[in-house]
Amino acid sequence: MFNLDKFIAESVTFRPVSMFAADIEANKETLTREIKGKKVCVIVGAGSIGSSLIKAVLRFEPGSVVVVDLNENGLAELVRDVRSTKTQQE
């Protein structure tokens, strides 16, 4: 199966780790406090930036995530990707 994160790391950003990883780790408590159990709405969430944001936010256990996008196929792919990623993490 195609791994988007791996493709981006190897072919787009040429970075094995996000340049924001250190900031996210340093602010983990604040992010958890601000996101955990809350509703999150992502506009244009099926694109590369929106889907990356959603994956980052999901680590902080929001109560719900609402994704808005005109790209119906992209939304379907995003749902499949998030569900398969969640299954792999459990």
Side-chain angles (χ1 to χ4, degrees):
M1 177 190 266
F2 178 72
N3 184 327
L4 179 61
D5 292 331
K6 182 178 178 184
F7 173 77
I8 291 171
E10 293 176 354
S11 303
V12 179
T13 62
F14 304 105
R15 283 186 225 107
V17 177
S18 168
M19 62 190 267
F20 301 110
D23 289 330
I24 291 171
E25 189 59 37
N27 295 290
K28 192 173 186 175
E29 290 179 21
T30 302
L31 290 165
T32 299
R33 185 175 59 250
E34 294 294 326
I35 297 172
K36 188 171 185 171
K38 307 244 176 96
K39 294 178 183 177
V40 176
C41 180
V42 181
I43 307 297
V44 194
S48 59
I49 295 171
S51 62
S52 293
L53 173 67
I54 291 166
K55 292 174 189 175
V57 165
L58 287 174
R59 290 183 276 175
F60 299 99
E61 302 176 17
S64 63
V65 178
V66 176
V67 183
V68 179
D69 201 301
L70 294 175
N71 181 352
E72 185 177 348
N73 291 333
L75 287 170
E77 183 63 31
L78 174 64
V79 169
R80 281 192 293 273
D81 185 36
V82 168
R83 285 182 177 164
S84 68
T85 302
K86 181 176 169 62
T87 303
Q88 291 172 2
Q89 291 174 352
E90 292 177 345

